[in-house]
């Protein structure tokens, strides 16, 4: 039904056993389609729903997605440019597949409610560009994963201009490109989450907060084992285009360079965990408890 611009109602799709790419692009650019069919399958196949509703700007409600077993690229671009979609379906699966949610809601400019994403072990590019261009999104879902994969969060919130709060990122061991361009262009974001990773990977922070023009507070505890040149490589241009003034919280002995691949010029550096001069010299004060102790 690709490019059937007058199609308003989808046919029934009763299959519970899917095949590779079976519904790939089936309603692509059906610009008058307002309601999706029921999708009862619980075990998916590679690319089975890929680009299924891509370019359906009249679609206001997503179908339930009861699948408990995902497959590579299964939901890739499923609701891409569904500009009237305000709420995502639930995505409770905890075992992911490569590219499974990639670009799933990209360009959904009305999306305000995201699904819970409970997985703690990720797959390559699983969330890449998932909410790219969701300009109405003000709050990100919780991201509890502690085991990352290559490019897992790459471009995830690119140009989400209303996003004002970033999710916590608890992983301490990173993967190649894992946070690459993750919050690029999030112009309402004022502070970063706590970045406490002690093991970095290629391009892990590259362009992560680039052009977040309101960003004025960064928390990053890169350990002193990384040299200034290594940090510049891992965090290449990550703070290009942020606020001209701000505060950068880091370890006292971290070898941060100055500039957009390190600590921006004009920002204050605060060494977390290290006592300040005031802390050392100011007199101690005590407060009595109710029993006078």
């Amino acid at each position: 039904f690709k490019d059937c611009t007058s199609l308003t109602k989808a046919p029934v799709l009763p299959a519970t056993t899917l095949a590779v790419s079976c519904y790939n692009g089936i309603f692509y650019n059906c610009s008058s389609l307002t309601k999706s069919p029921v999708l009862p399958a619980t075990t998916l196949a590679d690319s089975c729903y890929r680009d299924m509703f891509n370019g359906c700007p009249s679609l206001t409600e997503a179908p339930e997605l009861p699948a408990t077993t995902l497959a590579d690229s299964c939901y890739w671009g499923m609701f891409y440019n569904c500009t009237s979609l305000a709420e995502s379906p639930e995505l409770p699966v905890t075992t992911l597949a490569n590219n499974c949610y990639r670009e799933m809601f990209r360009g959904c400019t009305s999306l305000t409610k995201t699904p819970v994403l409970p997985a703690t072990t990720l797959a390559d590019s699983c969330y890449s560009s998932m909410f790219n261009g969701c300009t109405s999104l003000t709050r990100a879902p919780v991201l509890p994963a502690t085991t990352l994969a290559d490019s897992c969060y790459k471009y995830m919130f690119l140009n989400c201009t209303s996003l004002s709060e970033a999710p916590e990122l608890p992983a301490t061991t990173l993967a190649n490109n894992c946070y690459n361009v993750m919050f690029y262009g999030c112009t309402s974001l004022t502070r970063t989450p706590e970045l406490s990773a002690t093991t970095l990977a290629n391009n892990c922070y590259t362009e992560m907060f680039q052009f977040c023009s309101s960003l004025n507070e960064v928390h990053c505890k890169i350990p002193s084992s990384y040299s200034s040149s290594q940090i510049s490589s891992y965090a290449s241009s990550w703070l290009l285009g942020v606020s001209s003034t701000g505060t950068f919280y880091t370890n006292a002995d971290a070898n941060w360079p100055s500039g957009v691949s390190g600590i921006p010029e004009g920002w204050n550096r605060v060494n977390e965990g290290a006592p300040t001069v005031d802390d050392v010299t100011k007199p101690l004060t005590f407060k009595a408890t109710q029993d006078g102790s």
Side-chain angles (χ1 to χ4, degrees):
F1 303 101
K2 180 180 177 181
D3 295 325
C4 291
T5 55
S6 298
L7 185 72
T8 58
K9 185 177 181 180
V12 175
L13 301 175
T16 55
T17 301
L18 305 185
V20 173
S21 297
C22 56
Y23 295 133
N24 188 338
I26 187 173
F27 301 111
Y28 189 98
N29 279 343
C30 290
S31 55
S32 299
L33 188 68
T34 58
K35 188 176 182 180
S36 63
V38 174
L39 301 174
T42 56
T43 299
L44 304 187
D46 291 356
S47 298
C48 59
Y49 296 137
R50 182 169 177 173
D51 289 318
M52 188 173 187
F53 302 103
N54 187 335
C56 293
S58 299
L59 190 72
T60 57
E61 185 177 346
E64 292 185 12
L65 299 174
T68 54
T69 302
L70 305 186
D72 287 358
S73 306
C74 55
Y75 294 129
W76 186 338
M78 187 176 186
F79 302 104
Y80 193 142
N81 283 336
C82 290
T83 54
S84 296
L85 191 67
E87 185 174 342
S88 66
E90 293 184 7
L91 301 173
V93 181
T94 56
T95 301
L96 305 186
N98 293 343
N99 299 298
C100 57
Y101 297 131
R102 185 169 182 167
E103 298 185 355
M104 188 174 186
F105 303 102
R106 182 174 180 177
C108 291
T109 53
S110 297
L111 192 73
T112 57
K113 187 174 181 181
T114 60
V116 175
L117 301 175
T120 56
T121 299
L122 304 188
D124 289 355
S125 298
C126 56
Y127 297 133
S128 179
S129 280
M130 187 175 186
F131 302 105
N132 183 340
C134 292
T135 53
S136 296
L137 194 66
T138 59
R139 189 172 182 180
V142 174
L143 300 176
T146 52
T147 302
L148 306 188
D150 289 354
S151 300
C152 55
Y153 295 129
K154 188 174 182 178
Y155 305 125
M156 189 174 187
F157 302 104
L158 175 66
N159 289 330
C160 289
T161 53
S162 298
L163 187 71
S164 58
E165 184 177 349
E168 293 184 13
L169 299 172
T172 57
T173 298
L174 304 187
N176 294 337
N177 297 294
C178 58
Y179 299 138
N180 192 338
V181 200
M182 187 176 184
F183 300 101
Y184 184 112
C186 291
T187 54
S188 297
L189 197 66
T190 59
R191 70 185 301 272
T192 70
E194 181 80 32
L195 301 173
S196 55
T198 54
T199 302
L200 307 185
N202 292 333
N203 296 310
C204 55
Y205 294 134
T206 294
E207 299 182 19
M208 187 177 183
F209 302 102
Q210 191 170 127
F211 297 115
C212 293
S213 55
S214 299
L215 190 73
N216 58 27
E217 184 177 336
V218 172
H219 295 258
C220 189
K221 294 186 176 180
I222 287 180
S224 59
S225 56
Y226 290 98
S227 68
S228 177
S229 60
Q230 285 177 312
I231 293 173
S232 292
S233 174
Y234 293 129
S236 178
S237 297
W238 79 318
L239 296 178
L240 177 66
V242 299
S243 174
S244 59
T245 59
T247 304
F248 196 107
Y249 296 88
T250 183
N251 294 330
D253 55 359
N255 297 309
W256 279 101
S258 296
V260 296
S261 298
I263 301 176
E265 301 289 349
W267 279 43
N268 295 320
R269 174 173 176 163
V270 175
N271 298 327
E272 292 188 307
T276 65
V277 173
D278 288 342
D279 291 331
V280 174
T281 58
K282 68 183 178 182
L284 295 176
T285 58
F286 299 91
K287 184 177 180 181
T289 60
Q290 285 186 333
D291 63 2
S293 60

